Amino acid sequence: MTERKLVIAHLFPELLNLYGDSGNILCLRKRMEWRGITCEIREVHPGDTPSFSGVDLAFIGGGSDREQKIVCDKLLAVGSEVRSFVEDYGVLLAVCGGYQLLGESYLMGNEKVQGLSLVDLYTDHGDPRLIGNVIVQSSVSEQPIVGYENHAGRTHLGPSATALGKVLYGHGNDGVSGEEGVLYKNVLGTYVHGPLLPKNPGVADWAIARALERKYGKGQLEALDDTVELAANQIMYDRLMHGEVKEQ
C-alpha cells in the first residue's frame, strides 16, 4: 500500500486549550496511526509566524478573550495564506473561540474585533451565557455529536454558510435558531467542547477523510473498532435525551 501521510498544524496550543482541546489532536493522531497513516504534528507557538504550506489539516482551539485576540492578530498577519488554504479545501477544525475567529467580526467586551473573514458569519454577545451539555444531529457523523458548550457569544450564519447541524439538546450557535456550528468547504466550526473528537469519532474521521481526499484523491478510511468511543457517545446521548441529567 502506498504510504499516506497527513500534516496537522496545531495552532497556538499554549493559548487555545481552554477545555482540553489538545485531546482533539491526540485523537486525530491515534485514529490515523491505527490505520497506518503517518501523522506529523506541527505546533505553531506564539513566537512563530503561522504557515500553511504543506499543511493538510489545521486545528484552532478555544481560549479566553485575551488569548483569542492574540491568535486572531497572528493569523490576520498571514490572512491571504489562510484564505487560500480554506478556498483550496484545506481542512480546518475550529472550536469555540477558534470558531468565532472564522467570521467577519466578534465582540471582545464592548469592542468589535475584526475576524478572519473565512466564513460568512459574525458573533455578538448575549445574556446569559449558554452553558451546558449539548447534542447535535449532523451530516458529518452517523452518531449524534455530544459534548459541552460554554459561551456568551451568539454566532449568526450568513447565506453562504451552512450549519454543522441541528441542536437536539442544549443551545447551539445562539440559543434561538436551533442551529449549531458551521460547515464551509472543509471548514468545520463548533462550540462543542469535551474535547470534541474522542466521543465523536465520526467527526474525527470526517476531517481525516477530507484531508486524504484533498491530498491523494481518495478519502476512504478503514473501519476501526470504536466500541468504547461509541459507548461513551451513546451513554451521554441517553442520559441527556432521557432526562437523566438535570441542567442548572
Side-chain angles (χ1 to χ4, degrees), residues 204-234:
D205 284 354
W206 175 89
I208 295 169
R210 289 299 181 98
L212 287 172
E213 184 177 26
R214 175 177 180 255
K215 189 170 188 176
Y216 296 107
K218 295 182 179 180
Q220 186 174 358
L221 293 176
E222 302 84 350
L224 296 176
D225 180 0
D226 287 328
T227 302
V228 173
E229 292 87 345
L230 296 181
N233 179 288
Q234 188 67 47

Side-chain angles (χ1 to χ4, degrees), residues 23-25 27-28 31 59 93 195-204:
N24 293 310
I25 299 297
C27 179
L28 288 169
R31 295 188 70 79
F59 177 79
L93 300 180
L196 169 67
L197 300 181
K199 282 190 291 225
N200 299 292
V203 181

Side-chain angles (χ1 to χ4, degrees), residues 6 38 79 96 123 126 154 159 170 238:
L6 294 178
T38 301
C96 201
T123 300
R154 267 55 167 180
D238 290 343

Side-chain angles (χ1 to χ4, degrees), residues 131-133 169 239-248:
I131 304 173
N133 294 296
Y169 186 100
R239 290 179 66 200
L240 296 174
M241 297 302 289
H242 297 165
E244 298 175 23
V245 175
K246 302 300 181 183
E247 300 291 338
Q248 299 297 317

Side-chain angles (χ1 to χ4, degrees), residues 59-79:
F59 177 79
I60 314 175
S64 65
D65 286 349
R66 175 182 175 276
E67 284 77 15
Q68 189 173 328
K69 179 65 164 58
I70 293 171
V71 170
C72 191
D73 288 344
K74 296 287 286 187
L75 292 174
L76 280 170
V78 293

